[in-house]
Amino acid sequence: MLEIKGLKKAFGSLEVLKGVDLKVKQGDVVAILGPSGSGKTTMLRCVNFLEHADGGSLIFDGKEYPFHNISKKDIAAIRQKTAFVFQNYNLFLNKTALHNVTEGLIIGRKMPKTRAEEKARAALEKVGMLDRADYYPHQLSGGMRQRVMIAMALVCEPDILIADEPTTALDVTIQAQILELMQDLQKKLGMAIIMVTHDLGVIASMCDEILVMYGGRVCERGTADDIFYRPAHEYTKGLLRSIPKADNMNEKLVPIGGTPINLLQMPAGCAFCPRCDAAMKICLSEKPEELRISDT
Ligand code: ADP
Ligand code: MG
């Protein structure tokens, strides 16, 4: 359904993405995991053309579009089938909840106003916001604004939902409701989801594929089983050592040592090398090649 090949993006001399690949099939849920600053948001923004990628291409519905050469018409057509939930953007909503949710249907989907409002109200009800339909953003809490954003995305019934930490700002009950709603649409419409999340529980319960990013590269990818039971990259292993396990709550947690990566001072070799317990001399000078461990 959607494939990204060799996505590259730099902001001036800051090389943020250094060739990222991603493949999403219909109905797939793909999770993107990785420390802050690893390029997750930038990657999603490039996929939705909110950011100009420097290299790589996007394959959508069987057609390949180079990122540096894609027409406005093609962008509009791709956006027609995708919806985006931003990270930390909900303060920029500037109209009532109902207006915001309706607008996408009228402008993007060319729906008549009465029909659009009807659908918008139904979407607001699903995220528990119908009673706040006429509120402006400043009258809503952060979690409520996030729910409006999610209603805006889901109301369009997109083929692909791209969500950047959609539930990070929400309390656990609302979080569960929103995830259930997303999964519901995923099953009913065959919607695919690409989602950045730090919630390993969510990942384990609903994701088909996991991409672990570090320093602008995918450092490991696999199924949830691969990542949780057979992590191969030292960053992934470290991440799992730093969270509690339900069957052994007394175990001492081991944080990953060192400091998060500074893209302006990238090591010549492996990006994780300065924090890696298993680092060898070669890691200082050479970037590890991609290694295929199993079919998944
Ligand atoms: P993540 O979502 O994984 O936390 P981001 O993609 O937001 O990471 O950021 C990756 C890097 O790109 C960071 O170092 C950030 O400062 C930089 N960056 C992101 N957007 C911009 C921008 N518009 N201009 C300059 N640098 C940016
Ligand atoms: Mg981010």
Side-chain angles (χ1 to χ4, degrees):
M1 188 170 229
L2 180 144
E3 189 175 344
I4 299 162
K5 288 205 293 199
L7 173 58
K8 286 195 180 137
K9 172 71 187 167
F11 294 105
S13 60
L14 193 74
E15 281 183 45
V16 175
L17 298 173
K18 296 150 195 162
V20 174
D21 300 328
L22 169 73
K23 220 182 218 173
V24 187
K25 294 197 291 286
Q26 188 181 10
D28 259 6
V29 184
V30 176
I32 302 171
L33 191 71
S36 137
S38 56
K40 307 179 297 294
T41 295
T42 303
M43 171 174 159
L44 296 189
R45 288 176 58 83
C46 287
V47 173
N48 209 25
F49 312 102
L50 294 165
E51 212 68 79
H52 248 302
D54 304 323
S57 60
L58 175 79
I59 303 173
F60 193 83
D61 276 347
K63 223 180 131 194
E64 181 157 359
Y65 308 89
F67 276 113
H68 69 273
N69 182 20
I70 177 166
S71 69
K72 284 199 168 134
K73 201 169 140 236
D74 288 334
I75 290 180
I78 293 171
R79 283 197 181 144
Q80 192 80 31
K81 296 181 175 178
T82 55
F84 205 107
V85 177
F86 297 95
Q87 178 183 25
N88 307 332
Y89 270 49
N90 58 34
L91 260 176
F92 299 103
L93 301 171
N94 58 358
K95 293 169 185 144
T96 63
L98 181 66
H99 193 143
N100 275 309
V101 181
T102 309
E103 201 169 45
L105 293 172
I106 295 175
I107 297 172
R109 303 293 192 261
K110 312 273 183 265
M111 204 178 270
K113 188 165 179 237
T114 32
R115 173 89 186 103
E117 280 197 0
E118 206 177 292
K119 286 204 77 159
R121 283 186 196 281
L124 284 169
E125 183 165 27
K126 281 189 189 147
V127 295
M129 289 292 294
L130 188 54
D131 57 338
R132 301 284 206 288
D134 298 321
Y135 279 47
Y136 282 86
H138 70 277
Q139 299 168 313
L140 300 171
S141 74
M144 288 171 172
R145 287 195 293 265
Q146 190 66 5
R147 284 191 268 163
V148 174
M149 294 265 309
I150 289 163
M152 285 166 69
L154 293 182
V155 77
C156 297
E157 301 189 345
D159 290 353
I160 301 183
L161 176 72
I162 300 173
D164 197 357
E165 303 196 31
T167 59
T168 301
L170 305 178
D171 62 84
V172 283
T173 32
I174 300 291
Q175 201 171 30
Q177 273 172 29
I178 300 280
L179 291 169
E180 208 168 291
L181 187 65
M182 282 166 57
Q183 269 186 305
D184 202 44
L185 284 178
Q186 179 227 346
K187 293 210 179 87
K188 237 176 21 215
L189 308 171
M191 177 178 83
I193 302 175
I194 306 174
M195 175 167 61
V196 173
T197 175
H198 297 290
D199 189 326
L200 298 177
V202 168
I203 293 182
S205 68
M206 67 184 272
C207 295
D208 301 296
E209 171 150 9
I210 300 167
L211 239 68
V212 187
M213 290 188 59
Y214 197 88
R217 281 207 162 80
V218 176
C219 68
E220 180 161 9
R221 71 173 85 224
T223 62
D225 273 3
D226 291 332
I227 299 295
F228 288 107
Y229 297 114
R230 299 176 290 277
H233 193 281
E234 289 302 317
Y235 169 70
T236 320
K237 289 185 196 169
L239 187 67
L240 294 174
R241 274 196 298 267
S242 65
I243 54 164
K245 294 181 191 60
D247 56 2
N248 188 1
M249 295 300 264
N250 295 323
E251 192 185 17
K252 205 160 183 246
L253 299 179
V254 187
I256 300 177
T259 49
I261 196 152
N262 176 355
L263 289 174
L264 292 171
Q265 293 171 3
M266 287 290 280
C270 169
F272 189 62
C273 167
R275 308 175 70 185
C276 179
D277 293 334
M280 298 173 284
K281 207 169 168 191
I282 187 174
C283 305
L284 287 166
S285 55
E286 271 180 52
K287 298 213 185 310
E289 276 180 34
E290 203 169 302
L291 182 72
R292 201 178 174 85
I293 295 171
S294 74
D295 284 345
T296 54

